[in-house]
Amino acid sequence: MSTMHQPYVLRVHALPPPSAGSELYPQLLDLLENVTPTVQALHPDAADIDIGGALRFFERTPRELAQLVRLRTLALLGLTVTIGGGRSRMIAAMAADATAPGALTCVDPTDYATRAFLRPRPIAALYG
């Protein structure tokens, strides 16, 4: 049995309240590290997390795990987040950019779903 997992990345973008200080960002990173140890900080208010391995641990779909992250950040930090997800950092970032503040968009990791998500977007929307 293989221990490999399919990569799935969430771009978590915090929407701090105007009165919030800079102490919330480290707390957000700590909260994300409780979901997966694979956290890449994108200062000042975002992070990418690879949840591929965490999906099996939490027994959830990518969308369900994204909802859990969103709920925990709101309940524990009082912080609203926008989340985009996909099978790569690029897809996750594009999904987050296409998502309304405080909402989430998870692109299914299949080739078909990824192509369907990318097809209507202009080439300039691709990262890198």
Side-chain angles (χ1 to χ4, degrees), residues 8 17 46 49 51 69 125:
Y8 197 91
I49 61 173
I51 61 166
V69 167

Side-chain angles (χ1 to χ4, degrees), residues 5 14 16 37 42-43 45 65 70 73 77 82 91 96 102-103 121 126 128:
H5 68 273
L42 302 170
H43 199 68
D45 56 10
L65 195 51
R70 191 170 63 168
T73 57
L77 302 177
T82 300
I91 300 298
R121 286 165 177 67
L126 294 172

Side-chain angles (χ1 to χ4, degrees), residues 8-126:
Y8 197 91
V9 177
L10 297 179
R11 166 71 53 97
V12 181
H13 180 82
L15 305 167
S19 61
S22 60
E23 73 280 351
L24 280 179
Y25 187 65
Q27 291 176 22
L28 172 64
L29 295 178
D30 288 343
L31 184 143
L32 296 175
E33 287 175 352
N34 285 321
V35 174
T36 178
T38 313
V39 176
Q40 180 177 2
L42 302 170
H43 199 68
D45 56 10
D48 284 343
I49 61 173
D50 183 346
I51 61 166
L55 294 172
R56 185 171 171 194
F57 178 78
F58 283 96
E59 297 179 344
R60 297 185 187 274
T61 66
R63 182 172 191 74
E64 290 170 341
L65 195 51
Q67 290 171 331
L68 179 68
V69 167
R70 191 170 63 168
L71 180 64
R72 283 184 178 182
T73 57
L74 185 59
L76 299 175
L77 302 177
L79 192 59
T80 301
V81 292
T82 300
I83 301 177
R87 66 181 184 188
S88 70
R89 290 181 62 207
M90 179 187 75
I91 300 298
M94 291 177 71
D97 284 348
T99 302
L104 66 93
T105 300
C106 289
V107 179
D108 191 79
T110 64
D111 288 343
Y112 178 80
T114 301
R115 282 194 300 268
F117 173 74
L118 291 173
R119 189 168 290 117
R121 286 165 177 67
I123 195 74
L126 294 172

Side-chain angles (χ1 to χ4, degrees), residues 1-5 56:
M1 178 179 212
S2 172
T3 59
M4 295 295 293
H5 68 273
R56 185 171 171 194

